[in-house]
Amino acid sequence: MHSIMLKAKLHRAEVTHAVLDYEGSCAIDGEWLDLAGIREYEQIQIYNVDNGERFTTYAIRGEEGSRMISVNGAAAHKAKVGDRVIICAYAQYSDAELVDYKPRMLYMAPGNQLSHTSNAIPVQLA
């Protein structure tokens, strides 16, 4: 049996660029891609916290250390500079791989400062 699971998440990153006249995709600081385990050209989902838009694109490598989140091409209509977004990547895992499975999550503070990393989402209280 195989399950599609959350592989990686950048939580509440701020969009730094929205470039309509670009080939497409989302440029993400290369250091964050490496920390999260997201590969260049990997499919990602972007959830815009500020306007509710949800869309699919792929990741491309942004300049290391730039704190860049650049939403490009048609997706630039769905996010503007300053919007807070959640960027997720998913992957398919076998039952055996899920025994010790943990996603990689990066949590951002204002100004796209990396606040902390985690491999578990806290239990939501009632």
Side-chain angles (χ1 to χ4, degrees):
M1 179 114 191
H2 286 83
S3 299
I4 296 175
M5 304 289 290
L6 176 66
K7 172 186 168 182
K9 174 173 85 163
L10 280 71
H11 189 76
R12 291 195 173 217
E14 292 178 18
V15 174
T16 59
H17 302 77
V19 185
L20 185 60
D21 294 321
Y22 190 80
E23 190 173 330
S25 68
C26 179
I28 301 171
D29 183 316
E31 291 177 6
W32 295 342
L33 288 179
D34 294 343
L35 261 173
I38 298 173
R39 295 175 171 220
E40 190 167 19
Y41 309 114
E42 184 171 350
Q43 179 177 300
I44 55 175
Q45 299 284 320
I46 300 179
Y47 313 126
N48 190 322
V49 175
D50 292 317
N51 68 18
E53 291 282 357
R54 300 168 70 93
F55 52 98
T56 303
T57 188
Y58 59 94
I60 61 172
R61 192 169 201 86
E63 180 182 355
E64 278 79 4
S66 65
R67 298 188 298 218
M68 169 187 283
I69 300 291
S70 183
V71 180
N72 300 321
H77 289 289
K78 298 186 175 285
K80 67 181 185 318
V81 172
D83 281 356
R84 294 166 299 153
V85 294
I86 298 168
I87 300 172
C88 294
Y90 299 88
Q92 187 169 338
Y93 298 93
S94 69
D95 288 342
E97 291 172 303
L98 292 174
V99 171
D100 294 318
Y101 171 77
K102 301 285 184 197
R104 296 183 190 177
M105 294 179 279
L106 282 60
Y107 290 85
M108 308 314 231
N112 274 354
Q113 295 291 329
L114 180 61
S115 168
H116 64 283
T117 63
S118 179
N119 63 5
I121 296 173
V123 172
Q124 183 173 342
L125 302 176

